């Protein structure tokens, strides 16, 4: 697949025939590029709210007669929801509108949504093995334990991450420069715009401390002591990092699990290439593949999916549990090279009566014992979008 054509393109083009479409995702993940491609293919008009001339045209609603319109960064307008509600109610019969933004467009859904029923929401994620291989959103796997065709994109994804610029460039030097610039952009610009936080140096310090805690049960108190702020402040900052698509969470799953541990979610980076430890980077890469699958399959209506971690007080732990329609669907454990089935994976697979997959970075591994399989990651991740 060419990295120029994202797997969401066909879905967005289809959904634009029915409602407005909102496209949300991390900064520099390719939202603007994708929006421009779709608008150009449909013969429409692209407008950027940050551009002075475009902003005047947007606020005067001069675009409503264009047929197909892309509005980029329009969420920066304080009354954008009220504006769009009026536009939809009056012009939706002949207007196809694609709205993009990096700060989270879906955050307002938590407290009531005046635009309910007027739009579809999609999330654009970094590249994954499946998207680079087949460029489409595949159906839900019938048997999660079945191997997939071997993929050759995983080594480059692990090294450079899935954001388009460093992945396409394949340069260690340019990757470091891009990473440093992106961190400064997030902390110094987006964080300042989105919040009233003034202690930006401390927030950047928190961001630099996170890599060593990725994939582990998260302790707000320990970080608070390191940075010398209160645990509630750490909780607030981590919520902001989620809104800015710096991190996402795998929440603890407790139903049907005796002596489960229900607190301490695990955090993972959208850009897993920032992790120096090989094991943590591989686990985060797999987490990102699963998180993308969970969100995309849910967004397109194939199922209601969730990403969780599972752990009990006997110290048995499996990295990931994917739920389908709020019921356990399958488990995933990550190992760099260990092909002996992890005992916690075997235990929870039997306890929940669901498939368990142990993914290893080592190639040419495919074995199955009952309801548990050990598979090379490059032979399984292709199941996912």
């Amino acid at each position: 697949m060419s990295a120029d054509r994202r797997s969401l393109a066909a879905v967005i083009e289809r959904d634009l025939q029915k409602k407005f479409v909102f496209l949300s995702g991390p900064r520099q993940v390719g939202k603007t590029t994708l929006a421009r491609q779709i608008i150009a293919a449909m013969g429409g008009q692209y407008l950027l709210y940050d551009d002075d001339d475009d902003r005047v045209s947007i606020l005067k609603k001069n675009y409503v007669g264009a047929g197909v319109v892309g509005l980029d960064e329009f969420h920066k307008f304080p009354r954008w929801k009220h504006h769009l509600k009026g536009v939809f109610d009056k012009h939706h019969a002949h207007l196809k509108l694609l709205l993009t933004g990096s700060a989270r467009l879906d955050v307002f859904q938590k407290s009531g949504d005046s635009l309910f029923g007027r739009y579809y929401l999609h999330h654009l994620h970094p590249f994954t093995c499946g998207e680079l291989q087949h460029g489409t959103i595949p159906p839900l796997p019938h048997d999660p334990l079945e191997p997939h065709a071997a993929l050759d994109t995983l080594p480059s994804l692990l090294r450079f991450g899935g954001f388009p610029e460093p992945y396409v460039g394949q340069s260690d030097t340019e990757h470091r420069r891009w990473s440093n610039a992106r961190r400064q952009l997030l902390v110094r610009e987006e964080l300042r715009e989105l919040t009233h936080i003034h202690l930006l140096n401390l927030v950047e310090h928190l961001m630099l401390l996170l890599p060593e805690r990725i994939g582990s049960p998260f302790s707000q108190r320990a970080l608070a002591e390191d940075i010398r702020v209160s645990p509630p402040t750490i909780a607030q900052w981590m919520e902001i990092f989620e809104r800015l698509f710096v991190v996402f969470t795998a929440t603890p799953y407790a139903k049907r699990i005796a002596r489960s541990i229900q607190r301490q979610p695990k955090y993972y980076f959208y850009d897993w290439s920032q992790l120096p430890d090989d094991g943590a980077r591989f686990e985060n890469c797999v987490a990102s593949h699963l998180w993308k699958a969970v969100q995309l399959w849910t967004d397109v209506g194939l199922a209601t999916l969730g990403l969780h971690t599972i752990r009990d007080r006997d110290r048995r732990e499996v990295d990931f549990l994917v739920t389908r329609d709020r019921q356990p669907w399958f488990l995933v454990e990550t190992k760099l090279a260990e092909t002996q089935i992890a005992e916690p994976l075997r235990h929870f697979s039997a306890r929940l009566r669901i498939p368990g997959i142990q993914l290893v970075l080592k190639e040419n591994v495919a074995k199955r014992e009952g309801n548990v399989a050990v598979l090379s990651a490059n032979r399984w991740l292709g199941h996912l979008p």
Side-chain angles (χ1 to χ4, degrees):
M1 169 223 169
S2 168
D4 295 333
R5 176 74 174 178
R6 303 301 299 265
S7 59
L8 269 180
V11 177
I12 291 174
E13 290 167 359
R14 180 199 68 195
D15 283 351
L16 280 171
Q17 306 302 322
K18 306 171 187 176
K19 300 181 182 182
F20 290 175
V21 173
F22 294 175
L23 181 60
S24 183
R27 172 73 75 171
Q28 296 183 315
V29 79
K31 299 182 301 298
T32 296
T33 299
L34 175 58
R36 283 182 175 274
Q37 290 173 343
I38 291 172
I39 297 303
M42 300 178 72
Q45 180 181 15
Y46 169 85
L47 297 169
L48 175 63
Y49 185 75
D50 288 337
D51 180 87
D52 291 341
D53 293 334
D54 285 358
R55 187 183 306 119
V56 172
S57 181
I58 292 170
L59 297 181
K60 289 184 176 181
K61 303 179 183 178
N62 294 338
Y63 62 85
V64 296
V68 181
V69 177
L71 300 184
D72 199 358
E73 300 292 337
F74 185 50
H75 67 284
K76 294 179 180 179
F77 174 46
R79 301 187 66 196
W80 67 273
K81 288 179 286 182
H82 178 78
H83 175 105
L84 290 180
K85 183 178 182 296
V87 168
F88 181 92
D89 292 345
K90 190 172 182 179
H91 302 286
H92 75 274
H94 59 269
L95 177 65
K96 298 174 176 60
L97 183 65
L98 173 58
L99 181 73
T100 70
S102 55
R104 230 169 148 173
L105 291 176
D106 48 335
V107 69
F108 62 87
Q109 291 178 308
K110 298 178 181 179
S111 57
D113 182 0
S114 62
L115 293 170
F116 181 78
R118 297 172 173 87
Y119 69 96
Y120 290 114
L121 174 67
H122 290 291
H123 299 86
L124 189 64
H125 287 252
F127 288 134
T128 46
C129 290
E131 181 175 17
L132 291 167
Q133 184 70 20
H134 44 65
T136 60
I137 299 178
L140 302 176
H142 176 70
D143 181 2
L145 296 179
E146 283 294 319
H148 191 276
L151 307 177
D152 59 5
T153 51
L154 184 56
S156 292
L157 281 172
L158 282 170
R159 182 174 178 180
F160 298 108
F163 283 78
E165 184 177 336
Y167 179 81
V168 172
Q170 304 274 304
S171 164
D172 291 319
T173 300
E174 293 305 314
H175 176 229
R176 281 191 293 270
R177 297 175 69 182
W178 177 89
S179 298
N180 292 334
R182 182 172 181 270
R183 185 175 65 251
Q184 291 295 318
L185 174 69
L186 288 169
V187 173
R188 301 295 172 179
E189 295 185 26
E190 293 234 345
L191 191 64
R192 192 188 300 274
E193 288 180 5
L194 195 62
T195 73
H196 300 293
I197 291 177
H198 302 293
L199 303 175
L200 294 180
N201 288 332
L202 292 181
V203 178
E204 188 169 12
H205 186 194
L206 172 61
M207 189 177 292
L208 292 172
L209 289 177
L210 285 180
E212 61 193 60
R213 290 165 169 83
I214 290 297
S216 300
F218 191 78
S219 172
Q220 296 174 4
R221 184 173 300 279
L223 270 172
E225 291 175 355
D226 287 343
I227 302 177
R228 298 185 180 180
V229 297
S230 68
T233 297
I234 295 293
Q236 177 193 15
W237 290 354
M238 293 305 297
E239 182 180 350
I240 291 168
F241 284 169
E242 285 192 77
R243 292 174 62 187
L244 291 175
F245 297 99
V246 177
V247 298
F248 61 91
T249 60
T251 56
Y253 183 86
K255 296 180 181 179
R256 297 163 52 188
I257 302 298
R259 296 170 54 79
S260 64
I261 295 179
Q262 301 182 34
R263 299 180 181 179
Q264 296 183 310
K266 289 185 176 182
Y267 286 93
Y268 294 95
F269 281 130
Y270 279 88
D271 181 15
W272 58 82
S273 69
Q274 301 307 304
L275 301 178
D277 180 78
D278 289 342
R281 181 182 292 207
F282 177 52
E283 179 181 335
N284 197 146
C285 180
V286 172
S288 296
H289 279 69
L290 293 169
W291 177 234
K292 179 177 180 177
V294 161
Q295 282 210 311
L296 263 62
W297 279 331
T298 299
D299 286 347
V300 301
L302 292 181
T304 300
L305 304 176
L307 180 63
H308 304 275
T309 185
I310 190 166
R311 185 182 182 211
D312 65 19
R313 297 187 186 278
D314 297 316
R315 298 187 177 182
R316 287 183 292 241
E317 179 179 357
V318 173
D319 292 330
F320 308 110
L321 166 68
V322 177
T323 58
R324 179 176 178 178
D325 299 325
R326 298 178 179 83
Q327 299 299 317
W329 184 18
F330 61 84
L331 296 154
V332 176
E333 176 73 5
T334 61
K335 302 287 185 184
L336 286 178
E338 179 57 62
T339 58
Q340 181 176 345
I341 296 173
E343 189 55 38
L345 180 64
R346 198 189 299 273
H347 168 82
F348 285 121
S349 175
R351 177 70 181 82
L352 296 172
R353 299 181 181 178
I354 58 174
I357 302 104
Q358 183 165 313
L359 292 183
V360 296
L361 191 55
K362 184 179 180 181
E363 296 186 357
N364 302 316
V365 177
K367 70 175 184 178
R368 181 170 180 170
E369 296 181 15
N371 212 25
V372 180
V374 182
L375 298 168
S376 297
N378 69 342
R379 295 288 309 277
W380 188 83
L381 293 175
H383 283 298
L384 309 179

